[in-house]
Amino acid sequence: MFARNKVSRSGSRTRTADASHAPFVDPAADLPDCISLDPLNEDSLLANLLSRFKRDHIYTYIGNILLSINPYKPLAQYTEQAIADYKLRTVAISQLPPHVYALADHAWRSLRDFYSDQVIVITGESGSGKTEASKLILQYLGFATGKSKELETVRQQLLLCNPVLEAFGNAKSIHNDNSSRFGKYIELEFDYRGEPVGGLITHYLLEKSRVTSQHPGERNFHIFFQLLAGADVQLLKSLKLQRNTENYLYLRNNHSNPSVWHQSDKDEFLNTKKALETVGFSADDIVNIFRIVAAVLKLGNLIFTPVSNIDGTEGCSINNEYELEEVATLLMISVEELRSALLYRTYSVGCSGMDPHSSGGANCFSRDSTLPSTNSRTFIGNSHQQHQQMLLQQQRTSLLSTSASMVGASMVGRDMYQMMDGCHGSEVGMQVTLGSRVYQDAKDDFVMTDLSAAEATTGRDALCKALYYRLFTWIINSINERIKVKQHGKRRILSILDIYGFENLPTNGFEQLIINYCNEKLQHFVTEIIVKEEQEVYMQEGLEWSPILFPDNLAVCDLIEKHNLGLLVIMDEECQRPCNGSEETFLNKVGQVFQDNIQVEVAWGLPSKSSDSTTVNAFRLKHYAGWVTYSVNGFLEKNSDLLVRGLSQSMYQCSHPIVKELFPEGNPRRTTLRRPATSGTQFKVAIIALMRSLRSKNPHFVRCIKPNAFKQPHHFDVQTIQNQLRYLGLLESAQVKRNGYAFRQPYAWFLQRYKMLSTVTWPHWGGVAIEGVARLLRDLPISATEYAFGRRMLFIKNDSTLMQLEDFRRIRLDDLATLIQKTFRAWATRWLFLKRRQAQIKIATAWRRYKANAPLRRMRWRLSSVARREYLELRQRRRMVEAVQIIERSYIQWKRKRYLKRLAIRLPSTSPICRDWPTVTFFLRDTNQILKKLYHIWRCYRYRMGFDQIGRNRMREKVTASLLFRNRKESYARSVAHPFQGDYVRLRQNSQWRKLVNETADQYIVFADIVSKITRSSGRLVPVLFVVSTTSMMILDQRTLNIKYRVPAADIVRISLSPFLDDIAVFHVKSFDCTSPSVPNLQTGCLHFQQSAESSTLSPSFGSKWKGDLVLQTCHVIELVTKMFLVVQNAAGKAPEVNVHTDFEVSVGHQAVEFSFHCTGPTEVQPGHVRIVRRGYRLEVTL
């Protein structure tokens, strides 16, 4: 678009008009460089600037510093032809008229030629043209660099990001119609060729208070007016907006000509929308951005009407509900959620989950209370609106009554709200706040309060400011994501600093203090670089130098930012005080701390140093540009810059895709309520990082000057210019530049760059660097007065001398490049000649050899014919063998396929006991066996999967029985076909048993049956009821079901059986010494006889005699032993020993009796035909 228009300047706003390229300056009329003035003083400097200003020469050099005066009118100096004049110049830059293009070209060439980072620092008062200067620098860099198609998109994005930033970050102020209300630091990254490959934008402290209020004669940010003036009817309708700015409270402070601004804003809106599209924002993103802007305007129209509650406290309601509904539609949030966030606040009473360093109310974007649990009585959140309102009204009534009875209705007001906001989460602070409405739950205690109309208005304004500021930050982050460097490689940075200028308004607040602090730091940096460090280098290098005095504002910088006693620290301390911080205490502390400082005045402190006096709520600072009075009203609130958590959480609930990203702290899952750093502290840290970045780069300075305070063209106010020249230190800078040197570099660096200019130093210099530099300069046509030798550096007087050296170097590099090309071409030509000669020799040799070997070739031909025939025969035989092999493989494959197909048809039964399997040929027998095993495994698995849980348990018991008795017990084979039933007497259905198990832990019966107990004295068989539960085994009376014996399963250590067909099993129980005094403390583990009448109880009688092991006979001996084995294994954690033998010992009381089994009859003896005889300590069992 720059190809069709020429750029002009009018009130720091861009205009377009037709003009030819920039004219050159007549040297006889004025001097383009002020260091050439003689004499060089303030009057001559003013006269020179006035002479040039009358000729519309707004740019003037002070050495390498560019001085720019805002003309407040269009000028024909910014065409593509002017860019080409400075880009394709064939003379030194000093021979061209001073121009911002010249400085941009010098910075870009320094980056490309010296491969070092550069920075262009633009300083000046508000309205002096800094923003326009940065735009022109970007314009030059965009058009002066190459035109490759690959970088065209990047170049356009870098150029068009500026209109977007201006629309959202600039506004009309008293001094400037396009004032930047934020600091902007653009870092452009270039590759080794000097082509732009990406960039990064850093912004500093947007003046978001302008969203809700402006000084008289000023406007809100441009985007609000652009949207209303330039959007089409359909877009305005979708955004719920009207074109008249008077319909919006935040835009009614505009006192300029509406018609003029309407047309300008309409054109600028189209440019802004096109810039957003070019930078890379999608159509949905642009609409979502405009929805947030519209929501801010609509929120500003909400009117809060005071409402008296039944207990006398003050609440409020929204008068224009339709505005609230439209805002909810724009932000995609429910109306009830938004209304609750705007009208009410809730606070956690216990504060157990709060950080002690965070305030309980409006702190760190945290919600005002812990969300109540689902079983608590909640104020908002039911699905039906009527039920919500009814429940809310009931809770409000009960809670307000409680609060009135506790501390009185007077506490529920603005003082109460401030008290809640100041609470740091301590129990004392929260108990004081119980004057508000209290709600107590079993899990959470929290307080809900109504907001007064003034408090609701304050919260609404805070939300609008937060919405706009975070949207602005999101846009910049999105632009950075799109213009960041996409390729790897070494890169250098050219930065442009365009930050807000010094301000002294009729009413100065916190924003002006921060802005002026930034200008103090920037002025200190410029003064230190241009004047202080320059003179220190001259004196350190031993050059003859007369020191030049200059104003130093370091004391003012320390006064503001000092770590322990600075203004910012005092503000932070007041903001962090629990409940007592106020502007009055802040002002008192400033007066106490700086009572002896002549650069600070408060109303009750030292006498005023000028005719104007301060007020009781203000203090004055003596900046480098003069005294500025700051009103402390709102200082602490703006420094805290906090948003209540309830509003953050409500914004997080929005379905709007951007708003949800803007308020991540509103996520209810986030429990961190740590208080963030204040605005002043954040800005101080950012400025320190900025200063560090500036010092790491080679600086170039543009000092912008405002010709008058009325934004009038052709009006040169001498007093205004003179004040700016003085506090900017331009006269001192001119004196240093005039008496000093324009360029300095270490000797080694200078010799390395310019050594090719002398045959003595080229290509290598083996001596000391300073001697090489001296020999080099003697060989050049440069006067000795143009340079000076220091201890470590060489100093060059004028830029023209440096440009002359660069011209010499460029010519010499061209000669060296020609020499290299000539040498290379000669070497390439000779190499080609030698290669061709070598090829000719090889060809001739080969031809001679060919002619000499003709007879041999004929003989070889005949031999090759015979060999060819034999080869064909051998190949035919080999093919026949391969064919046979292929046929064989095919036949085998066919046999395999047929086998598999037949096997699929002839598969045997899926029963695991089926042993049938088809037979196959010999060569498939291995495969057949493998498939047989796999099939058997599969059908067994399928068979097992058909069991339910009960069946699986029975199968487990059967498998366990097989592992225990297979090939060990002759009676095992008879038990395989019989399922294990367990409860053979149906004891589970017995009511008396169910009553008994309620008193014991033997609820689950594993085995129950009438068995024969073998007495150990005589061997008689006594029928008893034997029960096995999951925890013990018991012997019960058959009729009364009284427990005679009870042995815990963990006390059974071994089970003994004979290998014959008998049904006898012996259960070995742990033995105990009943005579020991510690026996009563033992656990139940041995078999005892219950002598007491209460034999049905489960408590064993340790005083009774220990009976020893238990010998039983049952027809279900295999099932009983198997289940007892599993019960003991589960109870004791290890399996008991199962002893199958003809002879083993049995404990009878404290005696050991040996059991001996003998089989005298045939193998197939009927069960029960046993004879038991006791002979002393031996019990013989004969089958």
Side-chain angles (χ1 to χ4, degrees):
M1 77 181 173
F2 290 96
R4 300 191 301 270
N5 303 328
K6 62 174 187 175
V7 183
S8 61
R9 295 162 37 133
S10 177
S12 297
R13 302 271 306 174
T14 303
R15 297 289 186 269
T16 57
D18 295 331
S20 60
H21 56 82
F24 285 81
V25 178
D26 183 7
D30 47 42
L31 295 177
D33 196 340
C34 291
I35 64 175
S36 302
L37 294 173
D38 190 16
L40 179 57
N41 52 37
E42 187 177 279
D43 293 337
S44 62
L45 188 60
L46 278 171
N48 188 55
L49 294 179
L50 175 59
S51 176
R52 294 181 59 79
F53 184 76
K54 290 180 178 179
R55 298 170 179 265
D56 289 338
H57 299 160
I58 62 172
Y59 298 113
T60 307
Y61 287 129
I62 300 180
N64 56 0
I65 303 173
L66 180 66
L67 193 63
S68 173
I69 302 178
N70 193 345
Y72 292 122
K73 68 175 183 178
L75 294 178
Q77 298 183 7
Y78 310 104
T79 62
E80 288 191 9
Q81 181 60 43
I83 295 176
D85 290 341
Y86 289 92
K87 175 67 172 63
L88 305 175
R89 57 183 172 84
T90 56
V91 297
I93 193 69
S94 58
Q95 298 180 15
L96 292 175
H99 203 288
V100 69
Y101 290 163
L103 183 130
D105 181 78
H106 179 58
W108 175 70
R109 289 177 185 269
S110 299
L111 177 139
R112 184 194 62 181
D113 298 339
F114 298 104
Y115 204 66
S116 61
D117 293 341
Q118 310 290 319
V119 60
I120 300 176
V121 181
I122 307 173
T123 61
E125 283 190 9
S126 177
S128 58
K130 300 183 300 301
T131 302
E132 190 66 25
S134 67
K135 291 164 56 178
L136 294 173
I137 292 172
L138 284 174
Q139 178 193 13
Y140 179 83
L141 294 175
F143 283 88
T145 52
K147 300 295 182 181
S148 61
K149 295 181 179 180
E150 296 82 3
L151 300 175
E152 185 64 27
T153 302
V154 176
R155 185 180 297 105
Q156 288 298 323
Q157 288 178 341
L158 292 175
L159 286 175
L160 294 179
C161 66
N162 203 61
V164 178
L165 298 181
E166 283 192 10
F168 287 89
N170 288 22
K172 178 183 181 294
S173 66
I174 298 175
H175 304 294
N176 189 356
D177 290 342
N178 189 30
S179 177
S180 296
R181 308 317 300 167
F182 70 104
K184 178 174 58 181
Y185 185 54
I186 303 177
E187 296 178 288
L188 305 178
E189 298 191 39
F190 294 81
D191 59 13
Y192 69 96
R193 301 172 299 174
E195 296 292 335
V197 294
L200 177 68
I201 301 174
T202 306
H203 74 286
Y204 300 93
L205 192 66
L206 178 72
E207 187 191 13
K208 58 183 179 181
S209 61
R210 181 173 292 270
V211 175
T212 58
S213 62
Q214 307 91 36
H215 293 287
E218 296 188 349
R219 288 205 327 171
N220 212 322
F221 292 100
H222 292 329
I223 187 62
F224 294 111
F225 298 93
Q226 292 178 6
L227 180 61
L228 296 181
D232 54 41
V233 177
Q234 184 177 1
L235 179 59
L236 286 178
K237 184 177 180 180
S238 65
L239 299 179
K240 317 296 183 183
L241 295 177
Q242 300 176 6
R243 204 172 295 278
N244 188 1
T245 60
E246 292 299 320
N247 293 335
Y248 304 99
L249 178 65
Y250 289 162
L251 306 182
R252 292 176 185 172
N253 198 33
N254 179 26
H255 300 287
S256 57
N257 188 347
S259 60
V260 176
W261 279 105
H262 180 83
Q263 183 59 39
S264 175
D265 291 330
K266 183 177 181 180
D267 298 336
E268 292 296 335
F269 175 77
L270 300 177
N271 295 335
T272 301
K273 189 175 180 182
K274 182 179 179 181
L276 285 170
E277 296 171 352
T278 305
V279 169
F281 289 92
S282 64
D284 292 338
D285 289 339
I286 296 174
V287 173
N288 288 329
I289 290 172
F290 291 155
R291 288 174 71 94
I292 298 177
V293 174
V296 172
L297 289 178
K298 304 293 287 185
L299 276 172
N301 284 350
L302 294 182
I303 300 175
F304 298 96
T305 304
V307 175
S308 296
N309 297 317
I310 61 175
D311 62 345
T313 58
E314 181 183 352
C316 68
S317 63
I318 299 177
N319 192 21
N320 42 357
E321 284 285 339
Y322 63 93
E323 295 279 8
L324 182 67
E325 294 175 358
E326 292 179 350
V327 171
T329 302
L330 292 172
L331 298 180
M332 302 180 185
I333 185 177
S334 67
V335 178
E336 292 300 327
E337 177 75 17
L338 184 58
R339 181 188 293 108
S340 174
L342 291 172
L343 299 183
Y344 308 107
R345 294 288 181 270
T346 54
Y347 306 90
S348 177
V349 175
C351 294
S352 59
M354 298 181 65
D355 192 337
H357 300 289
S358 65
S359 65
N363 181 42
C364 78
F365 307 104
S366 60
R367 193 167 180 89
D368 310 273
S369 73
T370 304
L371 288 176
S373 59
T374 55
N375 59 347
S376 303
R377 293 168 54 197
T378 56
F379 298 104
I380 296 177
N382 294 323
S383 58
H384 301 288
Q385 182 177 1
Q386 294 181 353
H387 183 61
Q388 284 180 343
Q389 295 177 353
M390 181 178 65
L391 180 60
L392 181 60
Q393 184 63 32
Q394 293 175 357
Q395 292 170 343
R396 290 174 56 187
T397 304
S398 61
L399 293 177
L400 289 174
S401 301
T402 303
S403 64
S405 63
M406 292 175 62
V407 294
S410 60
M411 289 296 293
V412 186
R414 183 170 182 83
D415 295 337
M416 183 62 206
Y417 180 68
Q418 293 175 350
M419 187 182 303
M420 293 295 291
D421 285 352
C423 176
H424 279 254
S426 64
E427 293 184 2
V428 175
M430 294 308 295
Q431 289 172 1
V432 172
T433 62
L434 289 179
S436 219
R437 288 177 286 170
V438 181
Y439 177 79
Q440 183 173 2
D441 181 69
K443 296 183 179 180
D444 296 316
D445 294 336
F446 58 91
V447 177
M448 180 176 182
T449 106
D450 281 295
L451 299 182
S452 65
E455 292 165 352
T457 303
T458 302
R460 176 206 64 187
D461 292 344
L463 176 60
C464 292
K465 291 186 288 187
L467 265 174
Y468 190 82
Y469 176 74
R470 298 187 184 198
L471 173 64
F472 182 73
T473 304
W474 181 87
I475 290 174
I476 292 182
N477 293 337
S478 301
I479 292 175
N480 287 334
E481 188 65 26
R482 288 165 173 82
I483 66 175
K484 69 179 181 180
V485 179
K486 304 297 191 301
Q487 58 188 7
H488 300 283
K490 294 183 178 180
R491 298 179 293 274
R492 287 297 175 184
I493 297 175
L494 193 156
S495 303
I496 304 172
L497 178 61
D498 172 23
I499 210 158
Y500 14 58
F502 188 88
E503 291 187 351
N504 188 359
L505 305 177
T507 302
N508 301 286
F510 175 77
E511 294 85 356
Q512 281 66 43
L513 176 64
I514 294 298
I515 290 173
N516 294 341
Y517 160 63
C518 174
N519 281 270
E520 288 283 358
K521 293 290 290 184
L522 202 56
Q523 174 66 15
H524 177 69
F525 167 76
V526 174
T527 304
E528 193 172 30
I529 293 295
I530 296 177
V531 183
K532 182 180 179 180
E533 291 184 1
E534 195 80 13
Q535 297 188 82
E536 289 177 353
V537 169
Y538 296 157
M539 290 184 286
Q540 290 173 2
E541 292 293 320
L543 301 181
E544 183 179 355
W545 181 259
S546 298
I548 298 175
L549 299 179
F550 60 93
D552 191 0
N553 64 333
L554 180 60
V556 180
C557 296
D558 291 340
L559 185 149
I560 299 176
E561 68 177 3
K562 198 170 183 180
H563 291 294
N564 51 355
L565 293 176
L567 285 174
L568 296 179
V569 174
I570 296 175
M571 267 193 292
D572 289 349
E573 292 177 354
E574 291 300 316
C575 291
Q576 294 173 2
R577 295 180 65 182
C579 298
N580 299 325
S582 65
E583 284 81 4
E584 289 75 12
T585 56
F586 165 69
L587 191 61
N588 293 337
K589 194 167 185 179
V590 170
Q592 294 173 6
V593 174
F594 301 107
Q595 60 181 351
D596 297 329
N597 195 319
I598 62 174
Q599 294 176 320
V600 182
E601 286 187 359
V602 293
W604 47 267
L606 297 176
S608 178
K609 298 178 176 61
S610 59
S611 58
D612 55 337
S613 60
T614 58
T615 59
V616 294
N617 60 345
F619 65 93
R620 299 206 309 166
L621 287 182
K622 186 178 181 181
H623 291 282
Y624 73 95
W627 287 91
V628 179
T629 302
Y630 297 99
S631 173
V632 297
N633 292 333
F635 252 57
L636 300 185
E637 179 185 354
K638 294 177 181 178
N639 186 47
S640 299
D641 192 23
L642 301 177
L643 185 67
V644 291
R645 189 168 175 82
L647 291 174
S648 299
Q649 287 190 334
S650 65
M651 291 298 101
Y652 185 80
Q653 299 300 324
C654 294
S655 301
H656 193 287
I658 297 179
V659 175
K660 199 176 189 67
E661 296 181 24
L662 301 184
F663 295 87
E665 75 282 356
N667 190 346
R669 297 182 179 179
R670 295 185 58 173
T671 58
T672 300
L673 299 180
R674 185 177 181 181
R675 187 185 188 95
T678 60
S679 297
T681 301
Q682 294 179 19
F683 187 75
K684 182 177 74 172
V685 172
I687 289 300
I688 292 174
L690 174 63
M691 295 298 112
R692 190 182 303 114
S693 176
L694 295 179
R695 291 183 182 278
S696 65
K697 299 176 176 61
N698 182 35
H700 306 266
F701 298 101
V702 180
R703 310 304 296 269
C704 298
I705 293 179
K706 182 168 59 175
N708 58 78
F710 311 105
K711 299 183 286 187
Q712 296 295 326
H714 308 291
H715 181 58
F716 190 95
D717 188 352
V718 176
Q719 184 64 37
T720 302
I721 299 291
Q722 188 179 42
N723 290 337
Q724 295 176 76
L725 294 180
R726 288 176 179 175
Y727 69 70
L728 291 177
L730 295 181
L731 180 60
E732 292 80 2
S733 301
Q735 292 173 349
V736 171
K737 294 297 181 182
R738 178 176 183 175
N739 300 327
Y741 298 87
F743 180 80
R744 64 175 183 270
Q745 282 297 340
Y747 292 118
W749 185 93
F750 185 87
L751 183 62
Q752 178 66 26
R753 184 167 181 81
Y754 298 107
K755 62 182 179 179
M756 72 286 298
L757 300 183
S758 174
T759 56
V760 179
T761 57
W762 177 259
H764 300 290
W765 172 256
V768 183
I770 186 173
E771 296 177 359
V773 172
R775 289 295 304 271
L776 188 152
L777 291 175
R778 282 201 298 268
D779 294 343
L780 295 176
I782 297 177
S783 173
T785 59
E786 292 295 327
Y787 55 85
F789 291 92
R791 293 189 178 94
R792 298 175 296 106
M793 298 182 182
L794 175 71
F795 294 84
I796 297 178
K797 188 71 174 175
N798 298 315
D799 284 331
S800 59
T801 305
L802 179 63
M803 302 309 298
Q804 188 177 6
L805 283 172
E806 288 294 323
D807 291 339
F808 290 158
R809 181 177 182 273
R810 184 170 58 255
I811 295 172
R812 180 58 178 161
L813 288 177
D814 291 342
D815 295 340
L816 291 176
T818 303
L819 177 61
I820 292 172
Q821 291 176 357
K822 179 178 67 176
T823 304
F824 174 77
R825 290 184 182 126
W827 173 84
T829 303
R830 178 168 176 77
W831 178 83
L832 182 60
F833 165 73
L834 293 177
K835 294 292 288 184
R836 288 177 177 176
R837 182 180 177 184
Q838 186 178 5
Q840 185 269 335
I841 293 174
K842 289 183 178 180
I843 291 173
T845 302
W847 173 252
R848 294 189 186 98
R849 185 183 301 112
Y850 173 78
K851 295 294 291 182
N853 294 334
L856 183 60
R857 284 198 305 277
R858 286 193 293 271
M859 184 180 296
R860 288 177 179 175
W861 173 255
R862 289 194 292 269
L863 293 175
S864 63
S865 299
V866 176
R868 188 180 298 107
R869 286 196 298 272
E870 294 181 356
Y871 166 73
L872 292 176
E873 293 175 359
L874 289 175
R875 187 176 67 175
Q876 182 64 22
R877 287 197 294 271
R878 186 171 66 252
R879 287 182 176 179
M880 293 173 63
V881 172
E882 291 177 354
V884 171
Q885 293 176 351
I886 291 173
I887 292 172
E888 182 181 5
R889 287 197 300 269
S890 300
Y891 175 76
I892 293 174
Q893 291 178 1
W894 174 78
K895 291 287 288 182
R896 289 173 179 172
K897 291 181 180 180
R898 190 179 68 168
Y899 161 70
L900 293 176
K901 290 180 180 179
R902 289 183 177 181
L903 181 62
I905 300 172
R906 298 164 54 191
L907 282 175
S909 172
T910 57
S911 174
I913 61 176
C914 180
R915 301 297 180 182
D916 298 335
W917 191 257
T919 58
V920 294
T921 58
F922 176 78
F923 73 92
L924 290 176
R925 66 183 184 281
D926 295 336
T927 304
N928 190 50
Q929 290 298 324
I930 294 173
L931 291 176
K932 181 179 179 181
K933 291 180 181 179
L934 292 176
Y935 182 75
H936 183 67
I937 293 172
W938 170 80
R939 64 187 178 183
C940 289
Y941 170 78
R942 182 178 176 183
Y943 178 75
R944 291 196 304 272
M945 291 298 103
F947 291 153
D948 56 3
Q949 187 61 38
I950 297 175
R952 292 180 184 177
N953 292 339
R954 291 179 177 176
M955 178 59 69
R956 180 189 175 197
E957 294 173 353
K958 285 291 185 179
V959 172
T960 304
S962 175
L963 295 175
L964 292 177
F965 302 112
R966 186 178 182 183
N967 298 327
R968 296 180 68 190
K969 182 77 173 170
E970 293 182 4
S971 61
Y972 168 71
R974 297 178 178 179
S975 68
V976 172
H978 299 283
F980 292 166
Q981 297 181 9
D983 187 2
Y984 289 93
V985 295
R986 302 183 65 183
L987 187 61
R988 297 188 185 93
Q989 286 76 24
N990 192 297
S991 60
Q992 187 176 355
W993 168 258
R994 287 198 300 268
K995 180 180 179 181
L996 179 64
V997 297
N998 290 333
E999 304 173 1
T1000 68
D1002 303 313
Q1003 290 85 352
Y1004 183 75
I1005 297 176
V1006 178
F1007 181 85
D1009 194 11
I1010 303 297
V1011 302
S1012 297
K1013 176 179 176 296
I1014 301 176
T1015 61
R1016 287 152 292 197
S1017 59
S1018 60
R1020 290 188 306 106
L1021 302 178
V1022 178
V1024 294
L1025 176 59
F1026 185 78
V1027 179
V1028 178
S1029 69
T1030 56
T1031 58
S1032 64
M1033 70 176 185
M1034 295 170 288
I1035 296 178
L1036 285 76
D1037 186 86
Q1038 299 183 37
R1039 292 178 294 102
T1040 63
L1041 295 183
N1042 290 336
I1043 299 175
K1044 294 183 178 181
Y1045 304 105
R1046 183 179 184 274
V1047 180
D1051 290 344
I1052 298 176
V1053 297
R1054 189 169 66 257
I1055 304 174
S1056 298
L1057 301 93
S1058 73
F1060 303 121
L1061 289 172
D1062 62 284
D1063 297 331
I1064 298 175
V1066 179
F1067 296 93
H1068 299 273
V1069 185
K1070 288 182 181 178
S1071 62
F1072 297 92
D1073 186 5
C1074 298
T1075 62
S1076 175
S1078 62
V1079 168
N1081 297 325
L1082 295 175
Q1083 299 178 358
T1084 302
C1086 54
L1087 187 62
H1088 298 283
F1089 178 72
Q1090 304 290 337
Q1091 294 179 349
S1092 63
E1094 298 176 358
S1095 58
S1096 62
T1097 61
L1098 298 179
S1099 300
S1101 175
F1102 285 94
S1104 62
K1105 186 177 179 181
W1106 177 60
K1107 293 295 185 176
D1109 300 336
L1110 185 63
V1111 183
L1112 301 176
Q1113 182 184 26
T1114 176
C1115 60
H1116 306 292
V1117 65
I1118 299 298
E1119 179 182 359
L1120 173 61
V1121 173
T1122 301
K1123 292 191 175 184
M1124 198 68 206
F1125 175 85
L1126 294 175
V1127 168
V1128 173
Q1129 184 180 20
N1130 293 337
K1134 63 178 181 179
E1137 180 185 356
V1138 178
N1139 181 23
V1140 182
H1141 202 270
T1142 58
D1143 298 308
F1144 48 82
E1145 290 186 352
V1146 177
S1147 296
V1148 179
H1150 295 284
Q1151 298 177 355
V1153 176
E1154 182 179 357
F1155 264 63
S1156 178
F1157 289 82
H1158 301 282
C1159 184
T1160 59
T1163 305
E1164 296 295 332
V1165 176
Q1166 293 298 325
H1169 292 186
V1170 295
R1171 183 178 62 189
I1172 303 173
V1173 179
R1174 180 170 181 175
R1175 293 184 175 89
Y1177 292 100
R1178 183 180 181 86
L1179 197 65
E1180 296 181 352
V1181 180
T1182 305
L1183 289 86

